[in-house]
Amino acid sequence: MRELNFESKKPLLYLVATPIGNMQEVSPRTIETLKEVGLVACEDTRVTGKFLAMLGISKPLVSLREHNEVSASNEIVAKILNGTKVAYMSDAGYPCISDPGSRLVKLALQNDINITAISGPNAALNALVASGLCEDHFYFHGFLDAKESVKLEELRKLANREETLIFYEAPHRIQKTLNAMFTILGNRKACIARELTKKHEEYIRGSLEELSQIDPETLKGEMVIIVEGSLGEIKPDINNDEIIQMVKNLVNMGLTTKDAIKKVAETTNINKNYIYKIYHVN
Ligand code: SAM
């Protein structure tokens, strides 16, 4: 059934974007919405409590984060159905974008609650549009897995995508991630967008090789990595288990591990260092 959000009698859940570091990006509509609701559900009540205090707004807060997403979503939906107006905010940017909120949205929809989003900042889009690598199409990946072997596999699956790639990363993992990107994706153009909208905002543009050589001590704060899409070189679609099995088969046939890896690299056209890494990590 079709229904206009603001003309419907159905309850409405407000997904409210939060600044990613600059309070001047709070819109009048955000303030109006937060004043209007009876309850603010949020990722971290301390973070959102401070944010509301800066706006001079005081509201009851309830926490919905990754570890209690199911139970908290149930409680919040029950409150909305009982007539409470609820806004949901994550700590920064949009809810649901590498942040909790998706379960709440799905559960609300199942319970015939309408959803609206109050526009605001998002780190991925700021980084993309200013990177110089924004094309017609882009692919948002968010965080790669922290485990090295899984991260390498994830990157291999992305290697043939022609869209510009967008990643979120934490400073303590940036160097390993840039090395992995250079190894798997090759020497593409890329951009690190750091501390967006804040005083120390910085865009570092260069090749993945250049970016991977930057002293990680100088890459602090929050950051997004934008990487140019594939330029058409097709990488074979084989998973890590199959690659490792190929190496094992050759070792069983009497080849040294080094020669087996070299042979698999030649036949699959997969980077030798990559095969070495996954073979020895597993
Ligand atoms: N929901 C958020 C959004 O819409 O952008 C993303 C939240 S995610 C948990 C946090 C990650 O977003 C950070 O690790 C970083 O990669 C990126 N991020 C958030 N704020 C940023 C900023 N001011 N500058 C650069 N990256 C930022």
Side-chain angles (χ1 to χ4, degrees):
M1 193 178 55
R2 295 177 56 176
E3 250 179 334
L4 298 177
N5 256 355
F6 301 110
E7 290 174 18
S8 165
K9 292 209 170 11
K10 277 192 199 168
L12 192 56
L13 167 65
Y14 297 82
L15 300 174
V16 179
T18 310
I20 55 169
N22 190 326
M23 276 299 279
Q24 288 184 335
E25 296 195 329
V26 183
S27 73
R29 190 169 182 229
T30 296
I31 297 172
E32 188 186 287
T33 305
L34 292 171
K35 279 185 177 162
E36 208 179 287
V37 297
L39 175 72
V40 177
C42 56
E43 202 181 344
D44 185 330
T45 51
R46 283 164 306 179
V47 173
T48 302
K50 272 190 203 155
F51 171 70
L52 292 180
M54 280 193 263
L55 299 175
I57 299 173
S58 167
K59 293 285 163 175
L61 298 172
V62 57
S63 152
L64 180 155
R65 48 200 316 165
E66 217 174 293
H67 76 271
N68 74 346
E69 207 171 349
V70 175
S71 60
S73 296
N74 282 325
E75 281 169 32
I76 293 163
V77 163
K79 286 207 160 59
I80 300 173
L81 293 175
N82 275 332
T84 308
K85 267 194 174 183
V86 177
Y88 180 68
M89 319 176 62
S90 62
D91 289 352
Y94 277 90
C96 311
I97 305 292
S98 296
D99 265 340
S102 298
R103 275 176 194 270
L104 175 63
V105 171
K106 288 189 181 118
L107 192 68
L109 289 171
Q110 282 164 17
N111 283 275
D112 223 17
I113 294 167
N114 282 340
I115 316 285
T116 189
I118 307 298
S119 317
N122 163 257
L125 291 180
N126 274 39
L128 176 70
V129 296
S131 65
L133 297 170
C134 184
E135 302 298 338
D136 286 344
H137 306 286
F138 61 86
Y139 166 85
F140 173 74
H141 193 82
F143 290 100
L144 288 159
D145 201 280
K147 198 170 165 218
E148 193 67 6
S149 58
V150 183
K151 182 189 287 183
L152 291 168
E153 173 104 46
E154 270 180 273
L155 284 168
R156 271 195 17 84
K157 286 190 182 145
L158 299 177
N160 290 330
R161 295 197 78 115
E162 292 177 4
E163 308 96 332
T164 299
L165 309 173
I166 309 177
F167 302 92
Y168 286 162
E169 194 47 288
H172 64 281
R173 286 205 285 260
I174 184 72
Q175 195 174 37
K176 277 194 171 174
T177 296
L178 289 168
N179 281 335
M181 286 176 169
F182 176 45
T183 307
I184 309 303
L185 304 177
N187 202 14
R188 302 187 187 179
K189 288 183 199 156
C191 173
I192 301 171
R194 212 171 60 78
E195 296 288 83
L196 297 171
T197 75
K198 303 182 196 175
K199 196 174 162 199
H200 298 293
E201 175 176 290
E202 183 184 26
Y203 286 88
I204 314 171
R205 301 175 182 87
S207 66
L208 277 175
E209 184 176 20
E210 287 162 349
L211 298 185
S212 64
Q213 286 164 4
I214 296 174
D215 176 1
E217 284 304 309
T218 66
L219 296 176
K220 298 290 182 205
E222 302 201 89
M223 58 194 81
V224 181
I225 311 169
I226 307 288
V227 183
E228 180 181 40
S230 163
L231 298 175
E233 183 201 347
I234 300 297
K235 301 251 164 67
D237 193 13
I238 310 171
N239 70 34
N240 282 357
D241 290 342
E242 288 167 323
I243 299 169
I244 292 164
Q245 196 52 53
M246 287 168 83
V247 176
K248 281 184 181 161
N249 290 345
L250 291 174
V251 171
N252 288 342
M253 286 162 67
L255 265 68
T256 62
T257 309
K258 193 176 162 208
D259 286 345
I261 288 174
K262 197 169 157 216
K263 190 91 195 143
V264 173
E266 278 165 14
T267 49
T268 59
N269 206 15
I270 292 170
N271 186 298
K272 202 168 60 187
N273 295 336
Y274 175 77
I275 301 177
Y276 183 87
K277 270 189 189 165
I278 57 163
Y279 188 75
H280 287 285
V281 165
N282 282 277

